[in-house]
Amino acid sequence: MKVFIAGGRGRVGSPLADNLEAKGIEVVPGGLEDGIDVLSGKGLAEALVGVDTIVNVLNTPRFDAEGAISFFEGAINNLTAEGERAGVRHHIVLSIVGVGEGDASEVGYYLGKVAQEKAVRSGSIPATIIRATQFQSYIPVLIDQHTVDGKVLAPRSFIQPVELDEVIELLVEAVTTMEPGGAVEIAGPDRFYHDDLFRATLADRGNSREVVTVEGQGPRDAMVPRGAYRKGTVRYPITGIPAA
């Protein structure tokens, strides 16, 4: 088996490549560092020669709707076009739990993920969508993103962070054993409120930033599973946080 990982040098792509290679699977990392530009198509046709499966874990720093939609939709369209020519049989996309549900679907970045899912589903290559909640290791970065004028503005909404390694394991399963065409969601074992989680995380790190609870920031359950999902077993590494 030969797998092309779009975003193969990133936070998800790099450990995914290591995991697959440890199982004897040939991996082609697809990123700018490898001379491959998925958005422009540079180097893509050559990289996909002999590839059975594409795993798309690309991400963008663009949070506006126009930028996010252009990025995610454009990447899918190029991967689909070149993948079809190369005879790729399975296209796996990493997405986000809650995309397209509630008021969260109105946020620019998530509109991009909605467009990504629609594009891969309507493409010519059979697809599998893996939706994950926020990674546990990303919570400190999320706190920084919510910081305004030295205060952390945290919504009283749910978050159910998952350990990255468990997402990697699910992606490997999708590559090696899953039949194309489905969607699987994965979340951590515990659900918290954002503000409680942020306060506990900052306290554990000895950070004195004040967390201010902000009401009315969308539906409480927008970014947590609402139906059946794979529940991770690794708990968030800070104890004593009130369960939501």
Side-chain angles (χ1 to χ4, degrees):
M1 176 181 283
K2 188 174 183 180
V3 176
F4 175 84
I5 303 178
R9 306 281 182 183
R11 178 192 296 266
V12 178
S14 181
L16 173 61
D18 291 343
N19 192 306
L20 291 171
E21 288 174 337
K23 291 176 170 55
I25 295 172
E26 183 179 357
V27 172
V28 180
L32 297 176
E33 306 94 329
D34 309 292
I36 301 165
D37 187 340
V38 173
L39 289 180
S40 72
K42 176 186 175 184
L44 189 55
E46 297 82 358
L48 290 175
V49 172
V51 166
D52 305 286
T53 300
I54 292 171
V55 183
N56 183 351
V57 293
L58 288 168
N59 202 3
T60 176
R62 293 285 299 270
F63 278 77
D64 62 293
E66 182 180 357
I69 291 171
S70 176
F71 178 88
F72 286 118
E73 201 172 61
I76 289 291
N77 291 340
N78 284 344
L79 287 167
T80 298
E82 294 297 345
E84 182 180 17
R85 279 190 276 271
V88 172
R89 299 192 296 269
H90 193 183
H91 193 165
I92 300 166
V93 171
L94 179 61
S95 189
I96 303 172
V97 164
V99 162
E101 298 179 11
D103 295 342
S105 64
E106 299 175 6
V107 179
Y109 180 86
Y110 297 108
L111 285 173
K113 297 299 286 186
V114 170
Q116 179 188 49
E117 289 198 10
K118 288 181 178 178
V120 77
R121 284 193 181 282
S122 62
S124 55
I125 302 173
T128 298
I129 296 173
I130 303 297
R131 300 191 190 100
T133 54
Q134 187 59 261
F135 304 145
Q136 293 178 4
S137 58
Y138 197 76
I139 298 303
V141 177
L142 193 63
I143 292 172
D144 290 341
Q145 291 175 346
H146 281 75
T147 300
V148 179
D149 296 329
K151 295 183 178 181
V152 183
L153 307 183
R156 189 68 175 171
S157 58
F158 295 136
I159 184 170
Q160 196 167 337
V162 65
E163 167 58 40
L164 175 58
D165 286 347
E166 295 190 299
V167 178
I168 299 298
E169 290 170 6
L170 180 54
L171 287 167
V172 170
E173 184 180 332
V175 169
T176 57
T177 63
M178 283 187 189
E179 290 294 322
V184 181
E185 298 194 346
I186 183 169
D190 302 303
R191 183 173 296 189
F192 311 102
Y193 286 109
H194 276 88
D195 52 352
D196 290 338
L197 182 69
F198 287 0
R199 287 189 186 97
T201 300
L202 288 171
D204 184 73
R205 297 165 70 91
N207 190 306
S208 60
R209 265 181 290 175
E210 179 185 359
V211 176
V212 179
T213 301
V214 180
E215 301 290 350
Q217 297 296 303
R220 290 200 312 171
D221 58 353
M223 290 297 152
V224 295
R226 299 186 183 186
Y229 67 97
R230 182 83 58 91
K231 181 179 285 190
T233 60
V234 179
R235 311 193 91 89
Y236 192 67
I238 297 171
T239 60
I241 307 172

